[in-house]
Amino acid sequence: MFRYQILIEYEGTNFRGWQIQKKGKTVQGLLQEKISKLLKEKIIIYGAGRLDVGVHAKEQSAHFDCKNKIVKIDRFLKSINHFLNKDGIAILKITKRGNNFHARFSAKMRVYNYVIINRISGPVLDKNRGWHIIKDLDLKLMKGAARKLIGTKDFSTFRKSSCKAKSPIKTMKSVKIRSTKNKIEIEFRSQSFLQQQVRSMVGCLKYVGEEKWTLKRFVNVMQSKKRELCAPPAPPQGLFLKRVIY
């Protein structure tokens, strides 16, 4: 058996998320279908992580095993993308890996970006690729709150009730906020995340930026470990899986 890692870019608007479900089109399901057809054998795709409905990926990582070695990589990429591009998916790269590599369990860091479009006019070119917020956000206040997220903490406040992670304790390596021409980007780095953690943290940062919450209130909500005190999660269309680091 031969193991291959693939890097995938996709627009998540029209998918029911990454993971295969009983009903609805998913990224994992479509990849398995098309790659199996191309290689003429049953292929199972293992992703670096699950992404919810409407979330995008700039460089999702996954792997699969196949019986025969893929000799002509460029031909494989051209052929598979011919079938995937029309559905909003592109395989950017394919790399042969050893059998000890696992897209999920070998990952050392996951990097997510959340995009906020902070202006009066609704987005046209960036429709479904950002959270449109009309009210001006105070970046200085948001950056102050973001610093409080860094470190090893119990992130229960930001954890969706259906999350199946064994522990709510995660280590946030960094949170960076930058703004260019009414577009605010928030980057989160951690080895792993809880279900809906990023969107929940962004929702709370937005409350701070709007001055609905003080920094003290933000910290108290985070330390409460109570999901019911969390601000409404940010919508999925602003969230991008930027890359997975091994």
Side-chain angles (χ1 to χ4, degrees):
M1 296 293 281
F2 297 90
R3 179 161 293 183
Y4 290 92
Q5 178 196 10
I6 53 176
L7 299 180
I8 312 131
E9 174 185 88
Y10 69 84
E11 213 275 359
T13 304
N14 296 321
F15 290 98
R16 294 288 300 164
W18 164 266
Q19 190 175 16
I20 289 176
Q21 300 179 30
K22 291 181 180 179
K23 294 183 179 181
K25 184 170 67 173
T26 66
V27 179
Q28 182 187 29
L30 198 61
L31 286 170
Q32 286 189 178
E33 176 193 339
K34 300 302 183 183
I35 295 177
S36 295
K37 189 174 182 179
L38 184 62
L39 298 181
K40 298 179 180 178
E41 62 174 289
K42 185 177 180 181
I43 296 297
I44 298 176
I45 302 289
Y46 299 90
R50 303 174 183 179
L51 301 182
D52 290 338
V53 178
V55 176
H56 315 295
K58 294 183 177 181
E59 199 176 275
Q60 164 71 299
S61 174
H63 80 267
F64 65 87
D65 295 331
C66 58
K67 296 176 184 177
N68 299 309
K69 186 177 181 180
I70 300 173
V71 179
K72 296 182 179 180
I73 296 294
D74 287 350
R75 179 183 290 182
F76 173 85
L77 284 175
K78 288 178 182 177
S79 299
I80 195 63
N81 283 320
H82 173 75
F83 296 109
L84 292 173
N85 286 171
K86 62 183 179 181
D87 288 298
I89 302 176
I91 295 181
L92 305 174
K93 186 177 181 180
I94 178 168
T95 306
K96 189 176 181 300
R97 290 284 198 169
N99 289 334
N100 61 338
F101 173 83
H102 194 287
R104 179 183 174 190
F105 299 118
S106 300
K108 294 180 179 178
M109 192 79 65
R110 291 168 173 83
V111 184
Y112 281 90
N113 264 18
Y114 196 92
V115 175
I116 295 173
I117 299 166
N118 194 201
R119 68 187 195 194
I120 294 174
S121 304
V124 175
L125 295 179
D126 286 326
K127 186 179 180 181
N128 296 322
R129 292 177 177 83
W131 184 11
H132 178 223
I133 298 175
I134 294 175
K135 187 175 180 179
D136 284 340
L137 299 177
D138 189 316
L139 288 186
K140 186 176 180 181
L141 293 176
M142 292 175 69
K143 287 178 180 179
R147 285 192 287 269
K148 300 297 183 180
L149 295 168
I150 298 170
T152 301
K153 304 177 188 293
D154 186 325
F155 286 97
S156 292
T157 297
F158 310 112
R159 180 183 190 175
K160 191 175 181 180
S161 59
S162 59
C163 179
K164 293 181 173 60
K166 293 180 180 179
S167 171
I169 297 175
K170 299 292 178 183
T171 300
M172 192 69 59
K173 292 294 185 180
S174 71
V175 183
K176 297 179 181 178
I177 302 177
R178 53 185 174 270
S179 177
T180 308
K181 293 182 179 179
N182 304 118
K183 181 180 285 188
I184 299 169
E185 291 191 36
I186 310 173
E187 181 190 273
F188 299 88
R189 290 184 177 233
S190 178
Q191 184 175 20
S192 61
F193 292 85
L194 302 167
Q195 186 180 7
Q196 216 175 79
Q197 182 183 344
V198 173
R199 289 169 53 199
S200 297
M201 291 188 295
V202 172
C204 291
L205 290 173
K206 181 231 186 196
Y207 267 22
V208 173
E210 290 179 326
E211 298 186 58
K212 285 185 178 179
W213 285 2
T214 61
L215 180 58
K216 183 178 180 180
R217 172 84 179 273
F218 177 88
V219 172
N220 287 342
V221 168
M222 178 176 65
Q223 293 178 345
S224 74
K225 306 173 190 176
K226 295 180 180 179
R227 175 66 177 175
E228 61 269 23
L229 297 182
C230 184
Q237 68 264 24
L239 183 58
F240 296 77
L241 173 58
K242 185 176 180 180
R243 64 184 295 217
V244 181
I245 301 170
Y246 294 96

